[in-house]
Amino acid sequence: MSKNITKKKVYNILGVMSGTSMDGIDLSLIKTNGTNYVRTINEKSYDYSLTLQNKIKKIVKNKPLNNNTIIKYYKKNEDLINETYILYIRKFLNEFKINKDSIDFISLSGQTVYHNPLKQISIQLGSGKVIANNFKIKTISDFRENDIKNKGQGAPIGSYYHRYILNKFDNKSVIINLGGIANFTLINKRTIISSDIGPANCIIDDLTNYFFNKKFDKNGILSSKGNINNKILNSFESDIFFNKKIPKSLDRHYFDKYKNRLKKINKYDALCTATYMILVGFQKFLKFNKVYFNKIILTGGGRKNSYLLKILENNINKQFTLIDSFKINGDLVEAQMFAYIGIRSIKKLTISGKNTTGASKNISGGKIY
């Protein structure tokens, strides 16, 4: 790679990501220096069809139980993800009439299909090499690898972009991202603290698919028709995860044992109970958090669930605001995030550390193809 491209101050970088909800792909082309400047050029979310979503979920469901063969298994099934990324990147470039020569880098998050912090394994499908070869654009990916090598959990990996947002708009707030899994970022005396806190959309989405053959429960309308199953919720509340120290991270299937119990009860009660499970994650986080903050900024798909928001506001004595109020599209924050940490990685700046992933030191990451 020419030295000139890594010495630029500001880059045009395309962030590409699909989250733990596995419901679509987000693309955000931004101009950034990876520190205090970000300008959005073009961005868009593309929803997966239910068929494609179910194909990806089937790959995950059929994974081997043996950790020694799991990486091999997923790499064998990577073509579907590569093809999907190529299709939507091409669509995005055509739709916004973007000349690919104007893009310095693609920053690829990859589709997380398996995350086991205890075994120090985190697998994202989507090959930086394949994307780079296909579009003839330098691509950076594999952001979690270096973190895991340095005793980190590999997640949550985008905290430094959340720090940028907090510093720009309100550094006395906490950002909570409601993707498949819920995670938070806050700043305490210039130190970034970040961690997963519990499920967000993953259980509700899977149950909505199971009971109603729909991708998600729009506005929580189906969930609002049910009642809480206290037996299952109490069991969930005493899960060992909530007693672990932060930072900690989750696989989207970690709470499947509760989801399987919910499948056996009334469908509306199941969805209602799954929604209250998100509240439990918030309450446990607030119970153990010792850092003052004045409001909770919500981002991710879960912020659109008006039934969930009502439950949070009725049960938590904090002010809530949506990230969209800062003129940031809450559906595309993570695509922006991966573009931003892509440039930080290219410049060898920190993307994770002991207070965000549990890594032994502050480290950069990513591999350039």
Side-chain angles (χ1 to χ4, degrees):
M1 188 192 316
S2 73
K3 282 184 179 176
N4 293 340
I5 196 154
T6 55
K7 287 195 170 170
K8 281 179 72 170
K9 285 183 181 166
V10 176
Y11 296 80
N12 287 347
I13 181 157
L14 176 62
V16 183
M17 78 88 56
S18 178
T20 47
S21 293
M22 299 185 182
D23 56 355
I25 185 167
D26 302 330
L27 296 103
S28 186
L29 178 62
I30 68 171
K31 189 181 278 288
T32 184
N33 59 1
T35 52
N36 61 354
Y37 174 76
V38 175
R39 184 170 71 80
T40 303
I41 302 169
N42 300 107
E43 56 185 1
K44 187 166 179 179
S45 286
Y46 296 93
D47 290 339
Y48 290 159
S49 66
L50 191 58
T51 309
L52 177 58
Q53 190 180 33
N54 285 337
K55 271 185 190 172
I56 297 168
K57 285 183 175 179
K58 194 177 175 184
I59 290 170
V60 176
K61 193 179 175 187
N62 294 337
K63 72 179 186 294
L65 295 173
N66 184 343
N67 277 324
N68 296 327
T69 57
I70 204 162
I71 296 172
K72 212 173 183 180
Y73 164 80
Y74 275 123
K75 287 295 168 191
K76 260 176 31 187
N77 285 283
E78 192 170 47
D79 288 351
L80 174 67
I81 304 294
N82 286 334
E83 287 160 16
T84 302
Y85 279 156
I86 289 164
L87 171 75
Y88 285 111
I89 293 170
R90 190 167 288 131
K91 197 172 182 178
F92 179 81
L93 297 178
N94 291 338
E95 194 172 329
F96 291 102
K97 298 182 172 56
I98 298 163
N99 178 348
K100 68 185 185 70
D101 293 338
S102 70
I103 299 173
D104 296 313
F105 286 95
I106 292 171
S107 182
L108 183 74
S109 111
Q111 173 67 67
T112 298
V113 286
Y114 183 71
H115 183 75
N116 187 335
L118 289 176
K119 300 280 182 189
Q120 291 198 297
I121 302 172
S122 189
I123 302 171
Q124 288 70 44
L125 296 186
S127 163
K129 189 177 182 180
V130 168
I131 299 298
N133 287 344
N134 198 279
F135 291 97
K136 304 291 180 273
I137 300 172
K138 288 180 181 64
T139 299
I140 183 159
S141 62
D142 305 325
F143 293 103
R144 300 168 202 269
E145 207 172 287
N146 198 31
D147 184 79
I148 288 168
K149 276 182 191 164
N150 285 276
K151 299 185 170 58
Q153 298 185 48
I157 201 73
S159 314
Y160 276 75
Y161 186 58
H162 283 166
R163 179 186 71 166
Y164 161 77
I165 294 169
L166 289 169
N167 279 334
K168 186 172 181 184
F169 296 107
D170 186 353
N171 65 8
K172 292 284 187 288
S173 289
V174 60
I175 290 180
I176 296 188
N177 172 42
L178 296 170
I181 297 296
N183 58 59
F184 81 88
T185 304
L186 56 77
I187 301 169
N188 180 33
K189 297 174 185 167
R190 301 181 71 180
T191 299
I192 317 177
I193 303 169
S194 196
S195 178
D196 286 352
I197 60 172
N201 306 318
C202 59
I203 302 176
I204 299 173
D205 288 353
D206 288 354
L207 290 173
T208 306
N209 191 346
Y210 177 77
F211 287 124
F212 298 96
N213 201 31
K214 290 181 176 179
K215 283 173 70 182
F216 61 96
D217 179 13
K218 192 173 181 182
N219 292 325
I221 289 168
L222 300 169
S223 307
S224 69
K225 294 178 181 178
N227 297 301
I228 301 167
N229 181 301
N230 284 310
K231 194 175 176 187
I232 297 174
L233 191 64
N234 290 341
S235 172
F236 170 83
E237 210 168 330
S238 59
D239 191 277
I240 192 170
F241 171 78
F242 296 115
N243 294 324
K244 289 181 179 175
K245 285 182 181 173
I246 63 166
K248 52 190 173 182
S249 60
L250 285 162
D251 183 83
R252 87 181 296 283
H253 293 285
Y254 175 84
F255 294 112
D256 273 5
K257 58 187 168 188
Y258 306 105
K259 180 179 76 182
N260 294 334
R261 286 173 67 185
L262 290 170
K263 282 179 177 179
K264 294 170 184 164
I265 66 170
N266 173 280
K267 55 191 175 184
Y268 297 109
D269 292 354
L271 285 168
C272 177
T273 306
T275 309
Y276 273 85
M277 286 174 172
I278 302 171
L279 171 65
V280 169
F282 273 72
Q283 289 172 326
K284 297 282 188 180
F285 157 63
L286 291 167
K287 184 181 173 186
F288 292 111
N289 174 57
K290 300 286 184 281
V291 182
Y292 168 79
F293 58 85
N294 54 16
K295 77 167 82 109
I296 296 172
I297 300 167
L298 296 177
T299 183
R303 81 195 191 289
K304 291 178 170 176
N305 183 332
S306 46
Y307 179 58
L308 169 63
L309 292 196
K310 201 164 99 181
I311 290 168
L312 294 175
E313 285 167 347
N314 287 345
N315 289 277
I316 291 172
N317 189 22
K318 287 281 179 186
Q319 184 190 341
F320 284 87
T321 187
L322 302 187
I323 201 161
D324 311 72
S325 66
F326 304 120
K327 296 197 168 89
I328 296 173
N329 186 328
D331 291 333
L332 290 154
V333 170
E334 288 195 86
Q336 296 166 16
M337 171 193 289
F338 277 97
Y340 182 85
I341 68 164
I343 292 308
R344 288 188 69 83
S345 300
I346 286 154
K347 290 183 163 186
K348 303 283 184 256
L349 299 171
T350 301
I351 65 166
S352 62
K354 65 177 183 178
N355 294 303
T356 65
T357 61
S360 56
K361 58 183 178 179
N362 283 352
I363 48 169
S364 193
K367 279 187 188 169
I368 297 170
Y369 296 93

